[in-house]
Amino acid sequence: MSTALTAAMIIGWTVVISVYGILVGLFLLGIDRKLAAHMQARIGPPLRQPFRDVRKLLIKESVIPANAIPWMFNLAPIMALASSLVILLYLPAGSVMPPLGSYGDLILVMYLLTVPALALVAGGFASGSPYATVGAQREMVTMIAYEFPLAIVVVAVAWRLGAAGLAEPFTLTTIASNPIWSVVGPLGILGILLLLFISAAITPAELSRIPFDTQEAETELAGGLLVEYSGRNLAMFYLSQGVKSLVMGALVVAIFFPWNISTFVAMPATVALPVDLLFFLAKVILVLFFSVTLVRVAMARFRISQVIPVYWTYLSVIGLVGLLLLMADTVIPLAGVGA
């Protein structure tokens, strides 16, 4: 295949996945708001409300504060949205393998996840507002806090797949094609359950949701990082949050729940593709329900002084125990299971 054709295919996939990421991301935000409202005995907004919000913001003027750094203030929301969409190019969706899956692995995805957060930080500092500056500082602290447990999850899963003899264990294609549960014994399953818990605890922090939304904290900082944003710039940050919700759900699904219905039930390829895609979206909704919606309804916001101990002490220790259990699983295979 020629280089020009390859580039054209990647550009085409980029357009398709961008549209898909934005539409599904907004739909996931609507699902989250609807489910949270029902758990609080409210009717809640309709599922299409996020689409209405974005349309309303896009037709409004973007106001730039007098103390802001204009070029950075305007560039930050573009960076946040673009980087969130780029991550989708590396993540499988159902039986559709990622177009850039052979050009990057889980380590690259882990670092790409920091770009939207850094864009938020840059936008906060560029706002020239004391509320946004405090929010940007809190965003950096939170990001530093959850990176270590996230790295433990990534390394532990890839290491176990590598120990099972699989080539290129860090690539998401390998991880999605070889469910981690199928290569471990009882000790390994315990370890994976702990790593799954860590992933669920990292998700709300990645999405700046309760109990880790100290950087926005409306009651303290009046919106924090985004307090000075309006119009199209705020719409792009909102779209970025929707796309990143899909990214986090897809990442957890790819690592821990990569199965497709077409694997177990024989069906024509034209039917298998949409069925697997719908099954994938159902898994993403379930992951986000348990890791984001349920948590933000049931818990209060942590103070910023509590965020680092939660991640560096409690969750890191739990993650290391999970890693040790996976290592023990390779040394002490029980009942003849595990590699």
Side-chain angles (χ1 to χ4, degrees), residues 99-116:
L100 295 185
S102 57
Y103 297 95
D105 55 18
L106 205 50
I107 297 293
L108 176 64
V109 170
M110 189 178 74
Y111 281 101
L112 284 176
L113 281 172
T114 64
V115 179

Side-chain angles (χ1 to χ4, degrees), residues 4 65 135 227:
V227 67

Side-chain angles (χ1 to χ4, degrees), residues 27-46:
F27 175 70
L28 292 175
L29 292 180
I31 291 276
D32 171 64
R33 293 171 67 176
K34 195 70 176 177
L35 292 176
H38 280 298
M39 283 189 283
Q40 294 168 340
R42 296 186 289 111
I43 296 176

